[in-house]
Each structure stands twice: as C-alpha cells, then as structure tokens.
C-alpha cells in the first residue's frame, strides 16, 4: 500500500476453484460503500475479469450457482 499511488486496472485469468457455473464476481474494498459487481467471462475454462483502479486493498468474491 502506497498512500500516494493508485494501482491501474488489471486483467485477471484464473481457474475456478469449484465445479459449477459462476453466477457473480464482486469486488469489496474500503473504498466502496457496497460490493461492486464486475463483468466477467469464461474463456477456455478460465474465469476472466478486470479489477478496477484501486488505492487500497480489495477482495474479489466469486459466487457459484444459478
């Protein structure tokens, strides 16, 4: 964490941890009042999404189901 520097958006490709359909990808951060939904796709069996610019830490939550 560098208080004077923000991290540029970056693309993430990861292998889903569980079997089943990914229903939602969200980002949680002290910079947001509420979780924010992220657009995502599945390409070649990998979950792909872009993490937006951030100045603090963030946590990504991947939800499975309908």
């Amino acid at each position: 964490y560098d208080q004077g520097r923000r991290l540029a958006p970056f693309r993430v490709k990861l292998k889903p941890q569980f079997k089943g359909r990914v229903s939602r990808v969200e980002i949680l951060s002290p910079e947001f009042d509420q979780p924010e939904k992220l657009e995502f796709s599945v390409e070649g069996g990998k979950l792909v999404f872009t993490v937006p610019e951030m100045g603090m830490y963030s946590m990504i939550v991947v939800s499975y189901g309908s």
Side-chain angles (χ1 to χ4, degrees), residues 28-60:
L28 292 86
S29 171
E31 295 182 75
F32 311 134
D33 290 333
Q34 298 290 323
E36 292 192 5
K37 287 185 180 179
L38 298 180
E39 295 294 321
F40 69 92
S41 62
V42 177
E43 301 172 10
K46 302 260 176 145
L47 182 61
V48 180
F49 56 91
T50 299
V51 175
E53 177 183 72
M54 67 177 134
M56 300 181 95
Y57 64 89
S58 295
M59 179 175 66
I60 303 297

Side-chain angles (χ1 to χ4, degrees), residues 16-29:
Q17 183 177 5
F18 303 106
K19 296 205 183 284
R21 189 176 74 80
V22 173
S23 60
R24 185 172 55 236
V25 177
E26 296 175 302
I27 185 169
L28 292 86
S29 171

